[in-house]
Amino acid sequence: MSSTGTIFALLTRLSEAGPDAVLWGRAARPHFGPVFDRLLRKRVLVERPHTGMWPTCAHCDCGLDARPIVEVHGKLVAACPHDHRADQTLAPDDPRSFRIDSERLVTVLAEASDFDNAAFILPGLWQMGRLASGRVVFLALHEDAVEQPGMVLALRAAATGAPTTLLVPEISPAVELRFSEAGIDVAILRSVLSPSSSGIDVINVAALETPAHAPRLVIAKTAQTVMLDDRHLHFPSQLQRLVLMLAQQALTKDPILSHQVIGGATGRESRDLIRDLRANLVVQGLSKAETNALVVTVSPRGYRIGLDPSEISLRS
């Protein structure tokens, strides 16, 4: 069960924007209560002084950063300096704001999930701990942390050769591919959070012990090896390159490798090369049905790998 409506899920989502994330009173109000007070005591949330200002209208082009909050007939109003019809009446808690302390957020999450104390690795990156299987779990709380230089080297050094899972916010397929090529499994943090009786969300450890979809097709680019369902496959260099191209394309938003791209990269007609690839797979023990399901014709555009992206692993 994924967490979608808890205060902890909200703080996690807001933190994805960066280390200076803020929770405003209007969004916080539905979550006021014992768990919210506990997060205040633990200083996961730190209330900021009132500024007396409110964001401008979404459609406004006044050039101001904010509009003043004034009291009108006993009510708080975010006053538009140019058009009083755009004034916005606020509830008493709306102007309150809370800074989200990323480090304390991660520490509380680690404790609730029965990990050892989370260890700081790089800005925005923590080592959460080691699972019973020996797999090491890391957490990158926001996108800037995922994109920072030296990320893969830092993960490899801290994991010391153990299987590795990196918990991340939503990231692009290209970034996920970079980690996959380095042999690092990626899981979206919000998808593995579950509510607990304490009110603090926990990481579903069982979901991390084994990736949700174990890779069926594993390609090591440097060693030029291909494994399909634990079977070693061997190809001439041109077909090896074609398999890699198909797999790389499968991990993008458009999984179809076009006739033009294949011809431009190989100097051969794509249909002839695909025919040779399928024949090679049959010689190596795949049935014709299995071969056609693995290398799929998408007429008239080109070809694609007949696997889910989660079933493909590219390694350096």
Side-chain angles (χ1 to χ4, degrees), residues 235-236 238-240 242-243 246 257 259 262 266 268-284 286-288 291-292 294-297 302-304:
F235 302 101
Q238 197 169 57
L239 295 184
Q240 177 82 19
L242 176 60
V243 171
L246 287 165
L257 188 64
H259 297 290
I262 294 174
T266 64
R268 290 187 58 190
E269 286 287 337
S270 60
R271 293 175 179 80
D272 295 340
L273 202 55
I274 291 293
R275 184 188 62 240
D276 290 350
L277 175 59
R278 287 171 173 160
N280 184 291
L281 290 168
V282 169
V283 169
Q284 296 192 65
L286 274 69
S287 68
K288 288 187 176 181
T291 297
N292 291 332
L294 180 64
V295 183
V296 181
T297 301
Y303 306 90
R304 67 173 178 84

Side-chain angles (χ1 to χ4, degrees), residues 1 9 28 34 91 109 117 121 142 144 160 175 184 216 238 242 255 257 263 271 282 287 291 312:
M1 176 181 176
L109 175 61
N117 291 335
I121 304 293
H142 49 81
D144 288 346
T160 60
V175 174
I184 296 167
R216 292 183 56 201
Q238 197 169 57
L242 176 60
L257 188 64
R271 293 175 179 80
V282 169
S287 68
T291 297
I312 301 172

Side-chain angles (χ1 to χ4, degrees), residues 39-244:
L39 295 174
L40 284 171
R41 289 195 302 271
K42 288 181 171 290
R43 298 189 66 78
V44 173
L45 292 170
V46 180
E47 187 160 9
R48 306 190 305 174
H50 284 213
T51 64
M53 304 298 286
W54 189 254
T56 57
C57 312
H59 60 277
C60 188
D61 59 357
C62 65
L64 299 176
D65 294 328
R67 48 185 162 161
I69 298 173
V70 297
E71 187 170 334
V72 179
H73 304 304
K75 294 184 178 180
L76 296 178
V77 176
C80 178
H82 295 293
D83 184 357
H84 69 88
R85 291 172 299 181
D87 289 353
Q88 186 175 358
T89 302
L90 306 177
D93 286 320
D94 285 352
R96 298 175 69 187
S97 63
F98 306 84
R99 178 176 61 84
I100 303 172
D101 188 310
S102 298
E103 184 171 358
R104 292 182 182 273
L105 179 72
V106 172
T107 297
V108 168
L109 175 61
E111 291 172 352
S113 305
D114 291 328
F115 282 111
D116 297 332
N117 291 335
F120 177 86
I121 304 293
L122 290 174
L125 175 67
W126 288 267
Q127 181 173 334
M128 302 298 283
R130 191 178 295 266
L131 305 182
S133 64
R135 176 176 292 273
V136 182
V137 179
F138 298 88
L139 187 154
L141 199 55
H142 49 81
E143 189 173 351
D144 288 346
V146 176
E147 296 279 8
Q148 64 188 309
M151 183 72 161
V152 169
L153 290 177
L155 292 172
R156 284 175 166 171
T160 60
T164 301
T165 292
L166 175 63
L167 303 177
V168 295
E170 295 284 349
I171 57 176
S172 69
V175 174
E176 186 169 354
L177 174 60
R178 176 161 59 90
F179 289 112
S180 175
E181 290 179 335
I184 296 167
D185 295 311
V186 170
I188 305 303
L189 174 60
R190 277 184 273 158
S191 71
V192 298
L193 287 182
S194 297
S196 71
S197 58
S198 71
I200 301 296
D201 290 4
V202 298
I203 295 172
N204 181 0
V205 172
L208 303 180
E209 283 287 7
T210 304
H213 300 281
R216 292 183 56 201
L217 179 65
V218 179
I219 302 175
K221 295 193 294 183
T222 302
Q224 295 191 341
T225 60
V226 178
M227 289 189 64
L228 176 66
D229 296 330
D230 296 324
R231 173 190 298 178
H232 284 280
L233 299 177
H234 304 278
F235 302 101
S237 59
Q238 197 169 57
L239 295 184
Q240 177 82 19
R241 184 180 182 188
L242 176 60
V243 171
L244 178 59

